[in-house]
Amino acid sequence: MSSSRQSRSTPPASHRLEKMAVGTVVGQGNLSRPERGTGARPNAVLDCGWGRLVFAHTFADNKAVAETLSREREGHRDIGFYVREPHVVLSFAPLELFLDPSHTYRLWMSEYRPARRRSKGFYIRPVSTREEIESINRIYAHHGMMTVDPTFLWNNRRSRKLCYLVAIDENTEDVLGVVMGADHRYAFDDPENGSSLWSLAVDPQARHPGIGEALVRRLAERYKARGRTFLDLSVMHNNVEAQALYEKLGFRRIPAFTVKKRNMINERLYTGPEIEETFNPYAQIIIDEARRRGVAVEPIDPAEGYFRLSLGGRAVICREALTELTTAIAMSRCDNKAVTRRLCAEAGLRVPAQTVAGQSESNIRFLENYGSVVVKPARGEQGMGISVDIRSPDDLEAAIETAKAFSDKVLLEQYCEGDDLRIIVIGREMVAAAIRKPATIFGNGNDPIRTLIERQSRRRAKATSGESTVPMDQETERCIELAGYSMESVLADGKELRVRKTANLHTGGTIHDVTDRIHPTLAEAALRAAEAIDIPVVGMDLMVPDVEKDDYVIIEANERPGLANHEPQPTAQKFVDLLFPQTVVRPADIAARRQERDPYSP
């Protein structure tokens, strides 16, 4: 740490005097063990619902810290915070513990300055309903974070030790983000009068900017009002965006260390360096799961998502979720949308009316028969060249020309109202289901539609590592004009406008998990369609009026579905199960191994 960094971490004189007054040893960051007579509770541990905060600086010796962290409960994540001598702690349990590669930041409350402007579109308050806890866990799971025990959070929602704050959408009342705070004074009679921030997460589908910053500010203001001296947090060393936010708010690095127990949740932090090659999220989610199970990963063509997985004498080449297990026949059936439809119809599944675009007269007749149609290239993916809800002959001809840029053969299809439902089938099992919604903007009464689209596109790109953007093309302009606006129109504040008809992620769409809600008939239709195509891994696309009812039509099939889009559902796990079934760990296997180690265990 540089001298300039050290000087910024040193508390102001007023803080040093305050700490001297309560009898603690003063030092940079003031992380030394509280002296006798300070009133701090020894061996302080705080249950947070997802694991325990182990305040290591309150422990009498390092061995006790190691023993406490080693007793972590299964399915939880404990954090040893303020570890003074991490190398010594690790020496007592070198195979169980590891030094977390995170930085600790501190905000001195006397230096905090409130925001100049109030956030618009959402408000922040403590958790107040059980439904909000479900939403919190959905957000945590999406980010790969530990979920919180709902009963624990509900019973502790008014605790002075813990505080869970949520950001709530003013219009929909949906939970948009969450943060947890720990009050050290109430947790262990902290003589330093501190507090800390944990588990900050924002729904990646949230349309409002600044949610994370607002949650941090509100928590800081809450503890400042209680008279707390500082707010600390731990952030991964490579999370530069989060660090930039915290430094903007006045947080500064302090020399504190964190120790955790080795477990499945933390595995990527201690298994060694990641593969140097950069893969997109759809390949990376599979690679991470494979490495976790000891399956070797060999990059082949990272730019295109190709890699080889191998274990023992078995090796499988993958391109994201497409593998050698998918035959050329099955792939060609998915690639040709007309063939996909015909196979599904022959299997007794419901499909929309469809024809091949031909002479202008026949195209117009098909349009007149159904009133509204979808125009799509017979071959293609990611929504490219597709025009939806075409109602006029002029728009029909223009849409056909657009589709021809992607395929010589163009299909006209009956337009069916409803939501775009993607069902993931892996190994003849439905693993995940999600509603895909088209790109949508919300007016603010000031900016033109063009500017709102550009902002929404930037937010979607940031939330999806560049995978999702809203194209500024003829189809977007057509959708806007169909709604009675132009690119330069100014939407009223709060006015919602869909700027695309297709719900593909790559054209700015958003994805909303409905796995636990879909009607059994819809799941069965997807399974039967996968069987008809004879494909082991597929994303089946259906149009449905309501996911909880049995009405549907099958639109198409994707032989290379984006598994990362369906977290927290276990898509990558089921994918690796299919390829390497010998790596599957079942509850019965765990119990058997435990019995082998200790024949007297229950």
Side-chain angles (χ1 to χ4, degrees):
M1 183 179 294
S2 67
S3 59
S4 62
R5 178 71 76 177
Q6 287 177 335
S7 64
R8 289 197 301 169
S9 299
T10 303
S14 59
H15 294 302
R16 294 200 297 272
L17 291 173
E18 180 180 352
K19 292 178 176 60
M20 287 179 182
V22 296
T24 57
V25 178
V26 178
Q28 186 182 51
N30 200 20
L31 301 174
S32 53
R33 180 189 307 122
E35 294 183 338
R36 291 185 179 182
T38 62
R41 195 176 77 241
N43 298 352
V45 175
L46 178 63
D47 192 349
C48 300
W50 39 256
R52 301 175 300 167
L53 287 177
V54 178
F55 294 98
H57 64 314
T58 68
F59 279 66
D61 62 81
N62 291 310
K63 185 177 181 180
V65 175
E67 290 175 346
T68 301
L69 289 170
S70 296
R71 292 195 296 269
E72 178 184 81
R73 288 180 293 169
E74 185 174 348
H76 287 70
R77 183 195 66 172
D78 291 349
I79 301 174
F81 201 41
Y82 303 135
V83 180
R84 297 183 305 276
E85 298 171 333
H87 55 295
V88 180
V89 172
L90 295 177
S91 72
F92 290 108
L95 299 181
E96 293 185 68
L97 307 179
F98 72 99
L99 181 62
D100 186 53
S102 59
H103 295 320
T104 303
Y105 278 76
R106 171 166 292 181
L107 173 67
W108 295 102
M109 295 303 191
S110 62
E111 298 179 353
Y112 173 73
R113 297 294 178 266
R116 294 181 179 179
R117 296 181 180 179
R118 178 186 175 275
S119 301
K120 294 184 62 176
F122 64 93
Y123 60 94
I124 297 172
R125 59 164 169 73
V127 171
S128 63
T129 69
R130 292 181 182 273
E131 290 74 19
E132 289 170 1
I133 299 175
E134 294 178 5
S135 297
I136 288 171
N137 280 335
R138 174 182 55 78
I139 294 173
Y140 280 158
H142 183 93
H143 288 284
M145 299 168 64
M146 288 298 304
T147 55
V148 61
D149 180 350
T151 301
F152 174 90
L153 201 164
W154 182 251
N155 292 338
N156 288 273
R157 67 189 186 281
R158 296 189 179 94
S159 167
R160 289 185 174 271
K161 298 178 182 179
L162 294 176
C163 171
Y164 275 90
L165 298 180
V166 287
I168 303 293
D169 190 290
E170 290 181 348
N171 294 319
T172 66
E173 293 297 309
D174 291 337
V175 175
L176 304 178
V178 58
V179 68
M180 192 206 88
D183 189 318
H184 298 181
R185 172 65 76 179
Y186 286 108
F188 58 94
D189 298 324
D190 180 20
E192 295 183 289
N193 200 30
S195 60
S196 54
L197 177 155
W198 303 92
S199 302
L200 172 66
V202 176
D203 189 337
Q205 311 293 352
R207 61 186 178 90
H208 303 292
I211 296 172
E213 177 179 341
L215 285 164
V216 175
R217 285 186 177 278
R218 182 59 60 85
L219 189 68
E221 290 160 4
R222 185 183 185 90
Y223 286 141
K224 183 174 183 177
R226 285 188 183 180
R228 299 299 166 255
T229 305
F230 60 81
L231 178 68
D232 285 354
L233 59 85
S234 179
V235 60
M236 288 304 299
H237 71 98
N238 56 359
N239 192 347
V240 293
E241 288 188 357
Q243 291 173 30
L245 168 62
Y246 298 138
E247 291 178 357
K248 167 189 170 185
L249 297 179
F251 286 82
R252 298 291 180 261
R253 282 271 302 278
I254 61 172
F257 300 99
T258 301
V259 171
K260 296 177 182 176
K261 184 177 181 180
R262 296 173 184 255
N263 56 33
M264 186 182 300
I265 303 159
N266 299 320
E267 192 165 14
R268 68 177 62 191
L269 301 179
Y270 60 81
T271 52
E274 298 287 340
I275 295 172
E276 293 184 0
E277 290 80 357
T278 301
F279 285 87
N280 65 35
Y282 309 114
Q284 193 65 52
I285 188 176
I286 297 169
I287 290 171
D288 290 344
E289 178 65 19
R291 292 184 74 232
R292 187 185 67 76
R293 301 196 195 185
V295 177
V297 179
E298 178 188 350
I300 297 176
D301 185 353
E304 294 296 328
Y306 287 96
F307 54 92
R308 179 184 287 107
L309 302 180
S310 57
L311 182 66
R314 179 177 175 81
V316 182
I317 294 178
C318 310
R319 186 189 182 198
E320 299 167 10
L322 177 64
T323 77
E324 297 170 303
L325 301 185
T326 297
T327 66
I329 296 297
M331 184 172 174
S332 66
R333 288 170 170 171
C334 290
D335 183 54
N336 192 318
K337 295 175 176 61
V339 173
T340 301
R341 177 190 174 280
R342 185 167 62 251
L343 288 171
C344 290
E346 291 174 354
L349 300 169
R350 301 171 214 162
V351 294
Q354 189 182 89
T355 188
V356 177
Q359 297 297 321
S360 178
E361 294 79 6
S362 60
N363 296 340
I364 293 174
R365 260 196 316 274
F366 187 85
L367 174 63
E368 290 173 345
N369 286 339
Y370 296 101
S372 178
V373 300
V374 178
V375 180
K376 61 174 71 174
R379 304 177 66 179
E381 59 182 1
Q382 299 181 352
M384 294 185 293
I386 297 179
S387 300
V388 178
D389 194 13
I390 298 297
R391 304 178 187 179
S392 72
D394 290 343
D395 286 344
L396 179 63
E397 290 304 315
I400 291 172
E401 290 304 313
T402 298
K404 283 182 178 179
F406 298 91
S407 174
D408 293 336
K409 184 178 180 181
V410 175
L411 302 176
L412 307 183
E413 189 173 270
Q414 172 191 4
Y415 173 61
C416 299
E417 291 276 1
D419 289 322
D420 188 324
L421 174 66
R422 164 67 62 88
I423 298 179
I424 302 295
V425 177
I426 299 177
R428 300 296 189 262
E429 177 185 354
M430 190 208 81
V431 177
I435 287 293
R436 303 187 298 172
K437 296 185 178 181
T440 303
I441 60 172
F442 293 82
N444 59 15
N446 295 314
D447 297 313
I449 288 174
R450 184 186 303 278
T451 300
L452 297 176
I453 293 175
E454 291 170 349
R455 290 176 183 168
Q456 173 69 357
S457 190
R458 287 195 295 270
R459 285 196 290 268
R460 294 298 300 139
K462 183 177 180 180
T464 61
S465 301
E467 292 294 322
S468 179
T469 56
V470 184
M472 300 289 280
D473 58 10
Q474 182 178 348
E475 176 62 11
T476 298
E477 291 184 3
R478 185 187 70 84
C479 294
I480 293 169
E481 291 172 358
L482 195 63
Y485 299 98
S486 72
M487 281 288 191
E488 308 310 319
S489 300
V490 174
L491 290 179
D493 189 20
K495 175 67 177 178
E496 178 179 351
L497 176 64
R498 288 188 173 184
V499 297
R500 301 285 293 192
K501 291 289 186 178
T502 55
N504 298 76
L505 176 75
H506 294 84
T507 56
T510 56
I511 299 176
H512 309 266
D513 183 73
V514 294
T515 305
D516 297 330
R517 294 173 47 205
I518 70 167
H519 193 280
T521 297
L522 307 183
E524 178 63 23
L527 294 174
R528 288 171 57 194
E531 185 176 1
I533 298 170
D534 193 18
I535 188 168
V537 179
V538 67
M540 295 304 309
D541 292 341
L542 296 75
M543 291 298 296
V544 298
D546 188 334
V547 296
E548 298 182 9
K549 296 181 180 179
D550 61 0
D551 193 12
Y552 73 91
V553 290
I554 292 181
I555 303 299
E556 56 187 66
N558 190 320
E559 75 280 359
R560 185 163 52 99
L563 302 186
N565 295 335
H566 296 271
E567 291 185 289
Q569 300 303 331
T571 51
Q573 293 92 315
K574 293 294 184 179
F575 182 83
V576 178
D577 288 352
L578 177 69
L579 270 55
F580 300 97
Q582 68 270 38
T583 66
V584 178
V585 179
R586 300 177 176 84
D589 298 332
I590 297 174
R593 292 174 189 172
R594 185 181 296 119
Q595 191 72 16
E596 288 176 4
R597 292 195 302 268
D598 182 4
Y600 299 102
S601 65

